[in-house]
Amino acid sequence: GQQLNQSPQSMFIQEGEDVSMNCTSSSIFNTWLWYKQDPGEGPVLLIALYKAGELTSNGRLTAQFGITRKDSFLNISASIPSDVGIYFCAGRNSGNTPLVFGKGTRLSVIA
Amino acid sequence: DVKVTQSSRYLVKRTGEKVFLECVQDMDHENMFWYRQDPGLGLRLIYFSYDVKMKEKGDIPEGYSVSREKKERFSLILESASTNQTSMYLCASSSLDSRVPNEQFFGPGTRLTVL
């Protein structure tokens, strides 16, 4: 099945640092979503993007829908220990089709 | 708030057993999905359903079946569990209503171990 290329696979950062991760696709998407999964839990939606070029923030998180519609990035500013988890990008290219997921970025924050 | 619940958080079964994983959502969503999650492989879609009694194969349906007898409930069935089906199983639901964004909402997951 179709997959998104998500990078990096893992990150170790110091508390207070900014974080950036991205997803790319070989095909166009009309929806991009970013989820976070805490250890032992299901993914929770962080940010949803519906228009090319859209830039959306949710607290310390900012995500953008690339203008080519083939990529998206997520930034986390001033990381804190509770940012630890796996971040997934997901995209949809039409209507009611199932989401396509990236393989995730595992974030570790060192206090 | 959307709530998706899964019948068990942890499950241990023996090879060859028939296993039922249950998922219930309380938001009247039309769409329901089953994924498995394995380290390094991300989320892989097993089966999904857009309506009662309707099912579609995802990317990795082999060894699994599903049942959607009621709108709020979507069951994943392992007819004869095998050790390579040890995994985290995640259920999700979303709305078909075009007036609302149809993001998928996930349950907490069931960690299944097959011995």
Side-chain angles (χ1 to χ4, degrees):
Chain A
Q2 189 178 17
Q3 279 207 321
L4 300 176
N5 296 312
Q6 185 172 352
S7 64
Q9 283 188 325
S10 62
M11 303 179 74
F12 289 84
I13 61 167
Q14 293 280 347
E15 184 176 358
E17 285 185 5
D18 296 343
V19 173
S20 185
M21 59 191 79
N22 68 81
C23 260
T24 59
S25 169
S26 58
S27 56
I28 288 172
F29 286 96
N30 60 22
T31 300
W32 282 96
L33 306 172
W34 285 92
Y35 287 85
K36 183 197 176 193
Q37 184 180 31
D38 289 327
E41 301 293 331
V44 173
L45 183 67
L46 297 174
I47 292 179
L49 303 158
Y50 301 105
K51 293 181 187 176
E54 182 180 356
L55 185 71
T56 297
S57 293
N58 178 7
R60 292 179 296 107
L61 278 61
T62 301
Q64 184 157 30
F65 191 144
I67 56 173
T68 65
R69 296 169 64 192
K70 292 184 177 181
D71 62 341
S72 178
F73 72 75
L74 175 70
N75 286 344
I76 305 172
S77 63
S79 59
I80 59 178
S82 62
D83 290 334
V84 164
I86 303 175
Y87 292 79
F88 290 99
C89 63
R92 179 185 292 112
N93 54 18
S94 64
N96 199 36
T97 54
L99 289 171
V100 178
F101 282 86
K103 292 187 177 180
T105 296
R106 184 179 292 275
L107 179 63
S108 301
V109 179
I110 304 165
Chain B
D1 276 356
V2 175
K3 192 155 186 188
V4 180
T5 57
Q6 296 182 229
S7 50
S8 305
R9 294 298 299 270
Y10 299 93
L11 210 52
V12 179
K13 295 292 181 181
R14 297 212 173 269
T15 300
E17 280 193 75
K18 190 168 185 176
V19 181
F20 292 87
L21 302 182
E22 305 284 347
C23 175
V24 177
Q25 49 91 9
D26 66 359
M27 284 299 292
D28 202 34
H29 282 171
E30 292 79 9
N31 305 328
M32 297 189 75
F33 308 85
W34 274 107
Y35 294 86
R36 65 176 281 176
Q37 181 180 15
D38 301 288
L41 298 178
L43 303 176
R44 292 183 291 168
L45 182 63
I46 304 171
Y47 268 98
F48 60 102
S49 169
Y50 290 143
D51 201 353
V52 175
K53 296 196 186 294
M54 176 271 180
K55 60 185 179 184
E56 293 279 351
K57 291 181 180 179
D59 298 320
I60 52 163
E62 296 79 18
Y64 304 94
S65 62
V66 289
S67 172
R68 185 113 182 252
E69 295 296 319
K70 293 185 178 180
K71 188 176 185 180
E72 67 270 19
R73 187 180 298 269
F74 193 35
S75 303
L76 181 69
I77 303 157
L78 287 65
E79 293 288 343
S80 177
S82 63
T83 54
N84 63 12
Q85 291 178 310
T86 292
S87 187
M88 171 75 131
Y89 289 87
L90 292 162
C91 175
S93 73
S94 68
S95 173
L96 191 55
D97 188 343
S98 60
R99 295 168 297 177
V100 300
N102 59 347
E103 301 96 336
Q104 289 175 201
F105 296 88
F106 284 85
T110 295
R111 186 165 293 282
L112 173 67
T113 301
V114 182
L115 302 175

